[in-house]
Amino acid sequence: METPINIQTTPRRIRQLLNSQFGRFAMVGAAATGFQYLLLILLAELTPLNTVACSALAFTISALFNYLANYYLTFQSDKCHLETLSRFTVTAIIGLCINTLVFYCAELIMPHYLLSQCVATVITLISNFLLHKYWIYK
């Protein structure tokens, strides 16, 4: 038996999620991922680059937005940018390696590059959150 959705508490639950650190991280990540996918599509459709290179480039460009939004919105860090940006760069390189490797492998079996990117995004999300939370901004 399914639990019915309580319409009156749904907005409160959404506010609670957005007020949580993981909720903000997910929102920033969704915005950065949307930007990454837009860049991926533009690069894949409008340049002669192969899709693996397009994915890696789109990931790299969207990482700057991700850094700034997480610094100010998600983790509200008071550490200096010199310290956090250097740690973020290491994390972004790790994320780029995971993203590119998973994208490459998924593209071998997936029928479209966007599906491959979806698989790479899900796998990269977990490592990125843990590195952000416990290393970059603390």
Side-chain angles (χ1 to χ4, degrees):
M1 181 174 177
E2 285 188 37
T3 305
I5 296 174
N6 185 338
I7 301 292
Q8 294 174 339
T9 62
T10 301
R12 182 174 55 97
R13 288 183 181 156
I14 292 171
R15 282 193 307 274
Q16 286 174 333
L17 177 64
L18 293 177
N19 286 330
S20 74
Q21 194 173 64
F22 184 78
R24 290 189 308 270
F25 183 81
M27 293 294 288
V28 166
T33 301
F35 183 51
Q36 176 186 354
Y37 279 57
L38 176 64
L39 290 172
L40 171 60
I41 292 166
L42 291 173
L43 290 167
E45 300 299 327
L46 301 176
T47 72
L49 298 172
N50 69 52
T51 53
V52 174
C54 293
S55 174
L57 186 57
F59 181 95
T60 302
I61 293 169
S62 70
L64 180 59
F65 166 79
N66 190 302
Y67 167 76
L68 293 171
N70 277 313
Y71 181 91
Y72 290 110
L73 300 174
T74 304
F75 299 102
Q76 300 164 357
S77 182
D78 58 0
K79 293 204 173 262
C80 73
H81 283 289
L82 186 60
E83 182 180 350
T84 58
L85 187 56
S86 62
R87 289 180 177 188
F88 178 84
T89 300
V90 171
T91 301
I93 290 169
I94 292 168
L96 175 62
C97 292
I98 292 168
N99 176 79
T100 304
L101 178 63
V102 173
F103 182 89
Y104 174 79
C105 293
E107 195 169 45
L108 296 174
I109 58 172
M110 296 287 181
H112 196 272
Y113 67 88
L114 287 177
L115 293 174
S116 301
Q117 188 60 62
C118 289
V119 172
T121 298
V122 168
I123 292 174
T124 305
L125 171 68
I126 297 165
S127 67
N128 277 349
F129 177 74
L130 295 173
L131 287 168
H132 279 73
K133 180 171 178 67
Y134 294 109
W135 188 52
I136 296 176
Y137 303 108
K138 293 292 179 186

